[in-house]
Amino acid sequence: MTDSEIEITADLVHDLLQEQHPDLAGPTIREVAGGWGNQMWRLGDDLAVRMPRTEGAPDLLRKECRWLPVLAPRLPLPVPNPVRIGEPSARFPKPWAVMTWVPGEPLDYTSISRGDHAADTLAGFLRALHVEAPEDAPISEDRGDHPKKCTDGFDHFFHAVVPDDLADDVRAVWDDAVAAPEWEGPPLWVHGDLHPANVVVSDGTLSGVIDFDAMFAGDPAWDLAAAWVILPNGAVSRFFDAYAHADEGTIRRARGLAALKSLFLMLMGQNGDRGLPGGKPTWGPAGRAALDRVLQSWYSSPPGP
């Protein structure tokens, strides 16, 4: 899952900064735990260095650096924004980037205590993000499809982690999403990977959104799944009332995708508990809590005038 041929150290990061951006080489460099395609290093208090470590990460980093400056100015929450681009070199043969640091604690390590505020905040963020994307906006190769095209992945996660006593209920949620109508609107900007490790929390509520490397133009249901995956119990109805732009078909797709994302989080947590590469122990409890919300909460959009 990672390119183990290159050991990324604080000394390497410092040397790269000294070579290409010497004015940024002075602040303290310290590693940030976590990450997937990129290894993250804090640079002082306000910046971070993202170092790609998987095969596909450089292209995703370029995508972020291309489009985040377009999106960030109109988003109501802090998001990472590129400050400098590092070029491939003999020391590190991949592009890398210096980004703004988004303060807060990742949700998989904490919790939201101000549920209504978080619901309103997430709804406002997604209303601002979900606008029609330009023709040259990126299209995702592994996200964005209608749930009916994601059944293989769902079945894999389902058989790996769903307890027997929940199997029928989880399957019913997924079947309903598969039967939901297609997205018929224009392709909208979508974050694409909203889950507890990709949002940060301060003062008991959402305070930032990170990791936009999955962003694409398409069906907003992929982000609206966050109503169940991120928000605490009792916040789904408030979220959709505040978002105010989701029809019933979109909500049905979103709920099924929330089940899919919950199972993925549970599987990654299971892998982490077993010490497998890429496993994330903190994701398991977050995924199970999200699945419980999916099974307990349904929201039907109010009838039109």
Side-chain angles (χ1 to χ4, degrees):
M1 296 182 66
T2 60
D3 184 348
S4 59
E5 297 179 3
I6 303 171
E7 183 181 6
I8 303 173
T9 65
D11 287 340
L12 173 62
V13 174
H14 177 269
D15 289 348
L16 292 174
L17 288 167
Q18 187 66 54
E19 292 169 6
Q20 298 190 30
H21 303 285
D23 59 313
L24 297 180
T28 300
I29 298 170
R30 54 197 188 277
E31 187 174 3
V32 179
W36 189 285
N38 298 280
Q39 190 167 353
M40 188 85 75
W41 297 80
R42 289 289 299 274
L43 180 61
D45 293 330
D46 301 322
L47 299 174
V49 182
R50 295 190 74 184
M51 305 289 291
R53 58 181 178 183
T54 60
E55 182 178 356
D59 288 341
L60 299 179
L61 184 64
R62 290 189 187 96
K63 178 173 69 171
E64 285 187 284
C65 291
R66 164 68 178 88
W67 290 107
L68 276 172
V70 175
L71 298 176
R74 59 179 174 76
L75 297 177
L77 285 176
V79 301
N81 219 348
V83 175
R84 304 285 178 84
I85 307 298
E87 298 298 330
S89 65
R91 293 291 306 275
F92 190 74
K94 301 176 181 180
W96 48 279
V98 180
M99 315 282 282
T100 55
W101 175 256
V102 179
E105 189 171 7
L107 181 56
D108 57 324
Y109 285 93
T110 186
S111 61
I112 291 172
S113 57
R114 299 164 61 196
D116 286 350
H117 187 280
D120 292 344
T121 300
L122 181 62
F125 177 84
L126 292 180
R127 280 201 315 271
L129 175 62
H130 290 168
V131 300
E132 186 171 350
E135 290 185 2
D136 58 340
I139 303 298
S140 178
E141 295 181 357
D142 59 351
R143 293 177 174 88
D145 283 333
H146 188 282
K148 65 187 177 184
K149 298 181 181 179
C150 305
T151 53
D152 288 345
F154 176 83
D155 288 343
H156 172 69
F157 301 149
F158 180 90
H159 293 300
V161 299
V162 172
D164 290 342
D165 61 325
L166 299 181
D168 290 345
D169 291 339
V170 174
R171 178 63 68 178
V173 170
W174 182 250
D175 288 346
D176 183 65
V178 168
E182 301 260 3
W183 170 249
E184 295 182 351
L188 305 184
W189 275 116
V190 177
H191 178 283
D193 198 22
L194 289 176
H195 61 72
N198 286 344
V199 297
V200 295
V201 172
S202 302
D203 299 323
T205 191
L206 292 177
S207 59
V209 178
I210 59 177
D211 202 348
F212 279 73
D213 63 10
M215 66 174 139
F216 62 89
D219 182 357
W222 281 80
D223 280 352
L224 299 179
W228 293 274
V229 176
I230 288 175
L231 296 175
N233 293 341
V236 170
S237 292
R238 185 177 181 113
F239 167 82
F240 279 109
D241 286 342
Y243 181 79
H245 296 303
D247 58 31
E248 185 170 346
T250 300
I251 295 170
R252 290 166 61 193
R253 294 193 307 277
R255 189 178 181 223
L257 292 167
L260 176 72
K261 291 169 180 279
S262 300
L263 301 186
F264 171 73
L265 292 171
M266 291 169 65
L267 181 58
M268 295 308 299
Q270 185 181 95
N271 289 347
D273 293 340
R274 295 173 177 175
L276 298 177
K280 305 285 186 181
T282 59
W283 291 15
R288 178 55 197 265
L291 183 64
D292 288 344
R293 291 190 291 270
V294 168
L295 297 179
Q296 294 167 5
S297 175
W298 168 244
Y299 174 83
S300 179
S301 56

